Amino acid sequence: MPAAPPWHYRGFTDFAYLVDFNHPANDLFRSRSTASYVDEPELNMAGLFLDKDTSERSRWGMQFGIQGGKDSEGFGFSPTAPPLDGSKWLRHLGLANVSYVAPAGRGLTVQAGLFNSLIGYDSLYAKDNFDYTRSWGADFTPYLMFGVNCSYPLSPKLTGTVFVINGYLHLAHANNVPSLGGQLAYEATDRLNLKETLLYGPHQSDTALRLWRFFSDSIVERKGKPSTVAFEYQVGTEDVALPGDPRALWMAAQLPWHRALSDRWSVTVRPEFCWDRDGRWTGSPQLVKALTGTVEYRMPYRRTTTILRLEYRYDDSRGSGGGFFRGAELQPGIVALTPGQHLVIAALIWTFESPFHRQANYP
């Protein structure tokens, strides 16, 4: 068989209609950075990507992608830090990195630029997830990272990675001090995978070491036929530069369960919660509990796949800053809040990929 070409292209479009039973006047899903517009059809995301694989002939790799849509407007920013200079155009970069596999031991891979986050179970792109809407933990942790990472297979089952990035969220500019982190990924069996990722760095203008943010992301995933189940738990904490250095705390967890009913039909159920005790992640002190259910149908045709999803989710937000928008404006720019929110989502996602890229990802 001839060797697959190292260059691959791919792209997608993502349309959705989120029906909010609260029918807020501002058409917003409060406290969200993705799939945040309701009661009207939206192009939430579209993207074009070009990849170059590494091989024995060429140890250099590359990823580059551009994107647009409503979801590109809100992700990657922070409610407590100003946006990065140039973020209005940088948000349209989906990926922009180069990599090199050094001939050392089992192969040391160095990647620099804008790359997929090492934190989180959910992707920024709905097409890569089981559910259409992302979890609360995903929306307030990095979808992408800007910096350098180095990974090395410590054994056939264990891979270690260290990274240095510009900050907690790549489009926020809290300071000029980078954040540090590391990950251990363990393939216990062909079906069971475990990951532990730690991040440590400042997310405030005051960069004193006592104020640095510590974040942990733990994931256990069991893949099988026909079911996949995963558990993710996050905890983050930092002392805030206020009198007395009060400590802020974040916790989130999700338990997605996905089952393929046939080659084309599948269902997913995802219970989750997040607790932003002090409002440092979501912008408001709140405890959110949510349940999401999704039915999916896939239609592959040549180099394309059309994905249809029908989803229902219920969110409940309590606390001093909790709640979701409801009804008409009380006064200009102010919409009432209510603890609960029911959503019904219809989504149409269309993807295309070069034939060798499809063969590599879907054996």
Side-chain angles (χ1 to χ4, degrees), residues 126 132 136 161 197 223 226 230 255 325:
Y132 181 77
W136 284 89
T161 304
T197 309
K223 291 183 177 181
L255 183 65
F325 295 123

Side-chain angles (χ1 to χ4, degrees), residues 138-155:
D139 255 17
F140 297 98
T141 54
Y143 281 117
L144 300 172
M145 291 178 167
F146 183 77
V148 179
N149 73 77
C150 301
S151 62
Y152 184 80
L154 302 172
S155 75

Side-chain angles (χ1 to χ4, degrees), residues 256-311:
W257 174 80
H258 173 81
R259 183 175 180 85
L261 304 177
S262 68
D263 290 341
R264 298 193 175 191
W265 288 95
S266 64
V267 295
T268 304
V269 177
R270 182 186 66 205
E272 60 174 306
F273 85 90
C274 81
W275 181 36
D276 188 3
R277 188 184 67 183
D278 307 278
R280 293 287 299 175
W281 276 258
T282 64
S284 304
Q286 57 182 316
L287 170 63
V288 181
K289 293 169 286 183
L291 179 65
T292 303
T294 307
V295 178
E296 177 185 278
Y297 181 71
R298 287 178 174 256
M299 295 183 292
Y301 179 71
R302 295 185 178 179
R303 301 179 186 180
T304 71
T305 300
T306 301
I307 305 170
L308 303 176
R309 287 181 185 164
L310 182 63
E311 184 166 298

